Amino acid sequence: MRYVHISEVLHDLLEKDKITYEHSIRVGYLAKCIAKQLQLTKTQASQLIMGCCLHDIGKILIPTEILTKDTQLTAYEWDVMRQHPILGAERLSLLQLGSRTVMDIVKYHHERWNGEGYPSGLMWDNIPPFARICAVIDALDRMISDQPYRPAMTLEEAKAELIRNTNSQFDKKYVAACLRIPDEELLRKEIDILELLKDMGVKEEQHDNFNFISSDAKRVSRRSYSTN
């Protein structure tokens, strides 16, 4: 099977829904920031960033009318939406893209510390560590970005919400690490995608693979709508 470059998968996500694409890139950048706080190795950081950039890749397979709906989802629609972690992991496996660590981030980023998440209802240390990290920064980005149904929270409001849900939804050590990230990084207004590619170990000569994504999409702004 032909090797599939990460940029091709991100392009598919951009084509499906720009909102989800931009959210995913911002979560990838927050992964880079929290990797520094946790003093991860270069390899570990690369895997965390890649997994977080791809965490919502399964939404490519969610019907557009559900993915982009700007009102409350029905019970059936939520059941469909909750399939995206499994669909994403299966897609990466089929494309032979990413390590097991990356696939675990994609599959388990909606698990909760108390076992009330999905798709597997894992709890505590049974949830892969990098998926627990992604859960924290995924939630933070959604809170501090405008949503179709509400404006963005302030950073202080979002931090308080993370703390409130520590040891129920989130692992406290990763909430603590997230809260150590400087505010200017949490609220960075522009993210360079090519820098993230470099952080994932993509060599500069491979950056041409990203050229089919427009120049505007190579930089992602902080304030934009983001999906559930």
Side-chain angles (χ1 to χ4, degrees):
M1 181 176 179
R2 179 179 68 86
Y3 172 72
V4 176
H5 194 273
I6 185 174
S7 62
E8 295 179 64
V9 181
L10 290 174
H11 176 261
D12 289 344
L13 184 60
L14 174 62
E15 289 290 299
K16 178 72 175 188
D17 182 40
K18 184 179 179 182
I19 292 168
T20 303
Y21 165 80
E22 292 183 341
H23 164 67
S24 298
I25 296 301
R26 293 195 301 266
V27 174
Y29 181 77
L30 292 177
K32 176 180 178 178
C33 295
I34 203 169
K36 293 179 182 178
Q37 295 299 322
L38 295 169
Q39 298 182 319
L40 300 184
T41 67
K42 186 175 181 179
T43 297
Q44 289 172 328
S46 173
Q47 292 179 328
L48 178 62
I49 295 167
M50 179 179 286
C52 287
C53 280
L54 297 173
H55 76 283
D56 272 345
I57 206 67
K59 289 184 177 179
I60 291 173
L61 302 174
I62 299 298
T64 302
E65 62 272 19
I66 294 177
L67 182 61
T68 62
K69 188 176 179 181
D70 60 3
T71 57
Q72 186 172 354
L73 298 182
T74 66
Y76 167 75
E77 289 167 338
W78 269 119
D79 285 343
V80 173
M81 183 69 82
R82 288 191 180 101
Q83 294 302 308
H84 79 268
I86 293 174
L87 294 172
E90 290 176 348
R91 186 177 181 86
L92 294 186
S93 178
L94 180 65
L95 297 176
Q96 299 180 20
L97 177 63
S99 64
R100 170 51 57 186
T101 298
V102 170
M103 293 182 193
D104 281 350
I105 294 170
V106 173
K107 187 173 183 179
Y108 298 118
H109 70 278
H110 277 297
E111 300 292 348
R112 294 190 172 198
W113 185 249
N114 61 8
E116 295 181 0
Y118 63 90
S120 301
L122 302 180
M123 65 189 305
W124 303 338
D125 291 337
N126 290 319
I127 307 169
F130 283 7
R132 282 179 261 155
I133 294 172
C134 186
V136 174
I137 57 180
D138 176 28
L140 177 67
D141 182 75
R142 285 189 283 112
M143 288 189 284
I144 63 176
S145 300
D146 289 331
Q147 302 262 356
Y149 46 84
R150 63 151 177 81
M153 293 183 184
T154 67
L155 182 57
E156 290 309 310
E157 288 171 337
K159 287 181 177 180
E161 192 69 9
L162 288 181
I163 292 169
R164 188 176 72 82
N165 287 284
T166 294
N167 284 337
S168 57
Q169 185 171 351
F170 308 119
D171 184 335
K172 65 179 180 181
K173 65 185 174 187
Y174 297 134
V175 170
C178 181
L179 296 179
R180 291 196 300 269
I181 298 172
D183 288 358
E184 60 268 25
E185 295 301 328
L186 294 176
L187 293 172
R188 178 174 285 272
K189 295 188 180 299
E190 195 172 73
I191 297 165
D192 188 329
I193 315 300
L194 297 183
E195 283 297 314
L196 278 184
L197 287 174
K198 184 187 298 183
D199 293 326
M200 286 183 266
V202 177
K203 297 178 181 178
E204 288 189 19
E205 57 266 29
Q206 295 176 307
H207 284 186
D208 285 345
N209 289 323
F210 209 75
N211 285 343
F212 55 83
I213 296 182
S214 70
S215 58
D216 286 344
K218 289 179 184 176
R219 290 186 178 274
V220 168
S221 62
R222 161 58 52 193
R223 296 298 178 187
S224 70
Y225 288 105
S226 125
T227 55
N228 293 312

